[in-house]
Amino acid sequence: MRIGGDLPRWVLILTILHRVSLFSASDVCRLSVLDRYNLYTFSLASPTSKFPHGVLSEDGFYKVAVNETVLWFQLCDGMIFNHDPPTCADCWDCGGPSRCGMDCSALVANNVKGYHVCTTIGRASSVDINLIDKNIPKKGVTVKMSSNGPDVNCSLSVSVICESNGVQGPYSLEQSGTCDYATEMRHPSGCAEIVSVHGRGLGWFSTFLIILFCFLGVYLLVGTVYRFFFLGVRGVDIIPNLGFWTSLPQRTQSSCASLVRKFRGPSQGHRDSYSAVNF
């Protein structure tokens, strides 16, 4: 981060204290999405080997100028200006004239009759992160910052597109409505960490067994209640079809033994009907 020598020392101290008091960058701009058998995890503010600040600008802010509109913003944190600070006729909602832009995450200035009038459009405390395309999770995420003012509610949406080769942008700026802005950039931090999730849930046979046991439980419960309250049955006979359930183990054993004899064939102790007999 560059430190300008033309700023007073107290401004630099306030800037550092301001950075410490804001939300921790590691607490925002995180998103985990499960898509089929893959878990996509985005952590925009996490440091990497080439980008120790993650998606955060090392200058303390990003800047986009289109026609008569200038946008300053910082992703996942508040802005810091050690050089080229905004000069606005009105900046009371975002730090005041002496610290313009340092109490918010996004600020836009529009040229009105030769003066730049600033409007706060985003704060670090109001960040919402979602996928750019739900059908293509690895494409990247959109970070939306908002600011609720007494007169108007504003927002800035920044699309962080996955680009493993480096940083590109932001270049464009779009406005929708009275005070809603959008821009996009390409950054390696917009690429998700993809982890394969093992296990594909229950198969059709397991699901069938669960449904079967549920029906059996309901049947036993309803039958027991009916026999107790309406038929006046007491004791173990309250269980419906008790004779069938008590004989079920013997029936199962007989069926298994019959299947074993069928597949093993006749035993050695039994002679075939057509075996030769010596007289």
Side-chain angles (χ1 to χ4, degrees):
M1 183 178 295
R2 291 179 291 182
I3 306 296
D6 55 341
L7 289 178
R9 185 180 298 274
W10 66 270
V11 175
L12 180 58
I13 295 175
L14 287 176
T15 299
I16 296 174
L17 293 176
H18 171 70
R19 168 76 72 170
V20 174
S21 63
L22 283 173
F23 277 16
S24 174
S26 60
D27 294 335
V28 295
C29 291
R30 290 181 178 272
L31 179 66
S32 295
V33 177
L34 181 62
D35 182 70
R36 297 182 181 179
Y37 309 121
N38 291 326
L39 179 65
Y40 296 83
T41 302
F42 299 87
S43 184
L44 301 184
S46 297
T48 62
S49 57
K50 294 184 178 180
F51 299 93
H53 301 280
V55 78
L56 278 72
S57 173
E58 295 185 2
D59 290 333
F61 63 94
Y62 291 97
K63 183 177 180 180
V64 182
V66 178
N67 296 330
E68 298 297 325
T69 302
V70 182
L71 168 69
W72 296 267
F73 70 91
Q74 177 67 292
L75 286 170
C76 312
D77 209 342
M79 291 186 289
I80 292 179
F81 291 93
N82 294 316
H83 68 96
D84 192 21
T87 55
C88 301
D90 184 9
C91 197
W92 296 107
D93 191 36
C94 194
S98 62
R99 301 178 62 248
C100 185
M102 293 189 184
D103 284 352
C104 60
S105 295
L107 185 72
V108 65
N110 291 290
N111 193 313
V112 179
K113 297 181 179 180
Y115 295 94
H116 283 91
V117 178
C118 284
T119 306
T120 303
I121 59 175
R123 297 185 182 278
S125 58
S126 300
V127 173
D128 187 23
I129 178 171
N130 292 287
L131 294 175
I132 295 177
D133 189 342
K134 294 182 179 180
N135 297 322
I136 312 176
K138 61 182 180 181
K139 183 176 181 179
V141 294
T142 297
V143 180
K144 183 176 182 180
M145 300 170 279
S146 58
S147 177
N148 299 324
D151 300 325
V152 62
N153 297 330
C154 302
S155 67
L156 170 64
S157 297
V158 182
S159 297
V160 184
I161 303 173
C162 174
E163 178 58 64
S164 58
N165 295 326
V167 181
Q168 300 178 17
Y171 302 116
S172 62
L173 179 62
E174 298 180 359
Q175 181 178 359
S176 61
T178 304
C179 195
D180 296 310
Y181 296 86
T183 186
E184 65 178 30
M185 58 184 296
R186 297 179 178 272
H187 199 284
S189 295
C191 302
E193 179 182 351
I194 305 175
V195 178
S196 297
V197 180
H198 298 286
R200 301 189 176 184
L202 298 176
W204 68 269
F205 184 71
S206 300
T207 305
F208 171 75
L209 288 180
I210 292 175
I211 295 175
L212 181 64
F213 281 117
C214 288
F215 275 114
L216 179 61
V218 173
Y219 163 75
L220 291 175
L221 178 62
V222 173
T224 301
V225 172
Y226 174 76
R227 292 170 67 84
F228 182 85
F229 288 101
F230 293 94
L231 301 182
V233 180
R234 298 294 184 271
V236 293
D237 293 331
I238 197 175
I239 302 175
N241 296 320
L242 179 62
F244 171 78
W245 299 116
T246 55
S247 64
L248 188 59
Q250 184 178 0
R251 291 171 180 266
T252 304
Q253 182 179 4
S254 300
S255 299
C256 292
S258 177
L259 288 174
V260 170
R261 287 195 300 268
K262 180 179 179 180
F263 286 102
R264 290 181 59 183
S267 61
Q268 296 179 356
H270 295 80
R271 290 185 298 182
D272 193 358
S273 301
Y274 297 96
S275 60
V277 179
N278 296 324
F279 293 97

